[in-house]
């Protein structure tokens, strides 16, 4: 049985996690980890925070804080909020000297093998704030979808951009019309076009299961020349580029993230007294807005590293999610349009929050969160059914032997389908739990035998465990389950007529 490595994008440590963050790749990755653990697989999971991201700087400027202190505080808050949500990673790392050395050595090894190209190109320069404009330092309108965006990636359509190409470009923190100068800069890039055919072959064979928005983005990207991917940016915030004659250049944080994942997975494996399993299945969770980086830029970088004999792992599966909105508008920290994760989790249990995160999940399409809908769903689909079932199970004598039935077997089959990595569907998982609870109540009303009731209850508990582990454990115990929740062996289910 192969080990599984599970990774999610590092949150930017410029604040705590709001509900939109929680419901995305962090929750999805945790659900998958719990499912695999139920099935007897060994998982290594890792997360870190994105300290070298330019958004740390611009947020600190807006708040009047020191960016380093903001990052430290945010890392602590992120870790606490994940813990409150029962979202568990083996490590939630904060970049340190060992991390920086690992990243520098990784890129230096690729540089020595002539993987990168050096270019001289004009860069927009913010005269007022005295910095070059890229990522969060640049603001304007996306030339593809015409949404407001920052530099290098558009969150709305997923297309990469060059800050020079933004319509109505202006410096972040300033206003349209602020002075901008074009200044020549030496930069290192990876030519993605050179990797077009290997990328296309890999995506077609290794990642055949793609969600609709992701498929559209891939088709649009490959319809034209793939862009050069910046390995460095002219800045003072970040890891200095470990190349000769690279003064004033730092590593692009989106390039840094790839070997950063490897570093934190190594640390996570070490914490479990394991070595990094090179033959493991590598599963990447991410928000759709980061798709270009993970599916194109990172895969090309990993292929280049593999060619050079440098540590690299290609994903066996990539799972994206769409945006989770609040009252039909995007969560926005800067505009105060949000619900902090810790505030929600102070009002309701993690189990209930997780069930609703699954029920309303933006896994295949954009979804909307409202407090009213959450209360309505929880009352009708979880709280009331569980209250009835608790009373019903407490009134029966649990038999010494509980045999699976056609009902419990059907539930196991459906749960296996909706949790499988190739077609994971968290909405369908929550709906299956709700269907199972309704079935069990009907069985109780019809006077079904205790063995049949307990078989259904245990199947529901197993399927609920990746979503709401506390409620699942309670249901497992009420139905006579002993010890930890376990998924039945396939031979047990095959014996059911």
């Amino acid at each position: 049985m192969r080990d599984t490595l599970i990774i999610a994008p590092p949150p930017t440590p410029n604040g705590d996690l709001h509900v939109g963050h929680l419901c995305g790749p962090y929750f999805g990755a945790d659900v998958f980890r719990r499912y695999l653990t139920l099935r007897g697989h060994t998982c290594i999971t890792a997360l870190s925070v994105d300290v070298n991201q330019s958004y740390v700087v611009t947020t600190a400027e807006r708040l009047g804080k020191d960016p380093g202190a903001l990052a430290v505080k945010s890392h602590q808050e992120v870790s606490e909020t994940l813990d409150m949500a029962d979202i568990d990673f083996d490590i939630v790392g904060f970049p340190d000297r060992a991390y920086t050395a690992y990243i520098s050595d990784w890129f230096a090894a690729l540089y020595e093998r002539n993987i990168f190209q050096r270019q001289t190109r004009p860069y927009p320069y913010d005269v007022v704030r005295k910095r070059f404009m890229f990522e969060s330092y640049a603001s304007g309108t996306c030339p593809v979808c015409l949404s407001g965006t920052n530099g290098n990636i558009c969150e709305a359509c997923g297309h990469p951009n060059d800050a020079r190409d933004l319509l109505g470009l202006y410096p972040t923190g300033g206003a349209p019309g602020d002075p901008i100068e074009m200044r020549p800069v030496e930069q290192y890039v990876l030519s993605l076009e050179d990797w077009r055919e290997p990328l296309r072959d890999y995506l077609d064979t290794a990642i055949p299961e793609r969600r609709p928005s992701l498929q559209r983005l891939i088709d649009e990207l490959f319809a034209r020349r793939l862009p050069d991917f910046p390995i460095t940016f002219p800045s003072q915030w970040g890891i200095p580029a470990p190349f000769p004659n690279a003064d004033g250049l730092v590593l692009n944080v989106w390039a840094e993230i790839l070997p950063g994942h490897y570093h934190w997975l190594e640390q996570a494996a070490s914490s479990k007294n394991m070595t990094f399993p090179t033959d493991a299945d590598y599963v990447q969770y991410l928000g759709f807005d980061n798709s270009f980086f993970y599916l194109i830029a990172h895969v090309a970088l990993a292929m280049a590293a593999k060619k050079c004999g440098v540590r690299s792992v290609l994903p066996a599966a990539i799972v994206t999610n769409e945006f989770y909105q609040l009252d039909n508008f995007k969560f926005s920290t800067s505009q105060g349009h949000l619900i902090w994760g810790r505030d929600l989790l102070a009002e309701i249990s993690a189990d209930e929050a997780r069930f609703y995160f699954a029920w309303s999940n933006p896994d295949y399409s954009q979804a909307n969160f409202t407090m009213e809908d959450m209360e309505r769903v929880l009352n009708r689909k979880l709280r009331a059914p569980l209250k009835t079932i608790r009373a019903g199970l407490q009134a029966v004598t649990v038999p010494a032997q509980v045999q699976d039935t056609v009902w419990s077997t059907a539930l196991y089959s459906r749960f296996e389908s909706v949790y499988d990595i190739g077609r994971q569907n968290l909405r369908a998982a929550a709906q299956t739990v709700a269907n199972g609870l309704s079935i069990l109540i009907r069985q109780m009303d019809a006077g079904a035998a205790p063995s049949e009731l307990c078989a259904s209850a245990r199947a529901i508990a197993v399927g609920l465990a990746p979503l709401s582990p506390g409620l699942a454990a309670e249901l497992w115990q009420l139905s006579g389950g002993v010890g930890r929740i376990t998924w039945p062996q396939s031979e047990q289910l095959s014996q059911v007529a």
Side-chain angles (χ1 to χ4, degrees), residues 318-360:
I318 293 178
V319 186
T320 59
N321 64 267
E322 303 289 334
F323 277 119
Y324 199 41
Q325 295 187 322
L326 172 64
D327 296 328
N328 291 310
F329 289 94
K330 181 182 174 183
F331 279 83
S332 173
T333 303
S334 61
Q335 297 178 18
H337 183 68
L338 52 76
I339 298 175
W340 294 114
R342 67 176 59 232
D343 291 342
L344 177 68
L345 293 164
E347 297 294 328
I348 65 171
S349 70
D351 278 337
E352 291 186 341
R354 289 169 63 99
F355 180 83
Y356 184 72
F357 288 166
W359 181 273
S360 60

Side-chain angles (χ1 to χ4, degrees), residues 51-123:
V51 170
N52 296 315
Q53 179 61 258
S54 61
Y55 289 87
V56 175
V57 176
T58 51
T59 300
E61 289 175 348
R62 178 168 53 83
L63 298 176
K65 295 184 177 181
D66 174 73
L70 175 63
V72 171
K73 180 175 183 291
S74 297
H75 173 253
Q76 180 179 350
E77 291 174 341
V78 165
S79 300
E80 291 171 353
T81 299
L82 290 172
D83 186 59
M84 290 176 68
D86 281 343
I87 295 176
D88 297 329
F89 288 88
D90 293 323
I91 190 171
V92 180
F94 189 91
D96 53 15
R97 290 183 179 178
Y99 170 87
T100 300
Y102 185 101
I103 301 301
S104 297
D105 291 346
W106 196 88
F107 279 100
L110 268 63
Y111 170 84
E112 291 170 0
R113 292 162 176 81
N114 299 312
I115 294 298
F116 309 130
Q117 298 175 2
R118 187 180 177 98
Q119 299 177 346
T120 300
R121 46 154 294 179
Y123 245 90

Side-chain angles (χ1 to χ4, degrees), residues 172-380:
T172 300
D178 277 5
I180 297 173
E181 295 180 358
M182 300 303 294
R183 297 185 178 182
V185 169
E186 294 286 324
Q187 183 181 37
Y188 291 89
V189 301
L190 175 69
S191 173
L192 297 179
E193 184 64 23
D194 290 348
W195 296 90
R196 168 182 285 269
E197 294 308 316
L199 278 169
R200 196 54 150 163
D201 290 344
Y202 169 77
L203 292 173
D204 288 344
T205 57
I207 314 292
E209 182 73 22
R210 303 170 193 157
R211 294 176 174 179
S213 295
L214 181 59
Q215 182 63 60
R216 183 185 67 249
L217 176 63
I218 291 173
D219 291 343
E220 291 173 349
L221 289 170
F222 278 91
R224 58 180 183 267
R225 187 184 189 281
L226 295 175
D228 291 337
F229 178 57
I231 299 299
T232 61
F233 282 126
S235 180
Q236 299 302 313
W237 182 264
I239 297 177
F243 312 140
N245 303 314
D247 291 346
L249 296 179
V250 298
L251 291 172
N252 175 359
V253 71
W254 278 106
E256 168 199 329
I257 283 173
L258 177 66
H261 285 332
Y262 304 156
H263 171 79
W264 295 118
L265 284 168
E266 286 185 7
Q267 298 302 305
S270 178
S271 72
K272 304 174 81 165
N273 296 316
M274 299 174 60
T275 57
F276 190 99
T278 56
D279 61 343
D281 288 329
Y282 183 74
V283 179
Q284 175 71 63
Y285 280 79
L286 64 141
F288 165 75
D289 51 316
N290 296 328
S291 296
F292 166 76
F293 295 125
Y294 278 101
L295 271 86
I296 308 298
H298 284 188
V299 170
L301 263 178
M303 288 177 170
K306 183 177 181 180
K307 179 181 178 180
C308 299
V310 177
R311 162 64 56 80
S312 67
V313 185
L314 288 171
I318 293 178
V319 186
T320 59
N321 64 267
E322 303 289 334
F323 277 119
Y324 199 41
Q325 295 187 322
L326 172 64
D327 296 328
N328 291 310
F329 289 94
K330 181 182 174 183
F331 279 83
S332 173
T333 303
S334 61
Q335 297 178 18
H337 183 68
L338 52 76
I339 298 175
W340 294 114
R342 67 176 59 232
D343 291 342
L344 177 68
L345 293 164
E347 297 294 328
I348 65 171
S349 70
D351 278 337
E352 291 186 341
R354 289 169 63 99
F355 180 83
Y356 184 72
F357 288 166
W359 181 273
S360 60
N361 201 264
D363 43 9
Y364 281 85
S365 61
Q366 197 170 88
N368 187 52
F369 177 96
T370 71
M371 293 294 291
E372 295 79 9
D373 183 66
M374 182 187 71
E375 284 297 314
R376 182 167 54 250
V377 168
L378 290 177
N379 284 332
R380 293 182 182 180

Side-chain angles (χ1 to χ4, degrees), residues 29-74:
D30 184 68
V31 168
F32 187 54
R33 176 192 64 82
R34 291 178 183 276
Y35 168 69
L36 288 182
T37 301
L38 278 175
R39 302 304 301 267
H41 291 257
T42 298
C43 300
I44 299 172
T45 63
L47 189 67
S48 63
V49 290
D50 200 5
V51 170
N52 296 315
Q53 179 61 258
S54 61
Y55 289 87
V56 175
V57 176
T58 51
T59 300
E61 289 175 348
R62 178 168 53 83
L63 298 176
K65 295 184 177 181
D66 174 73
L70 175 63
V72 171
K73 180 175 183 291
S74 297

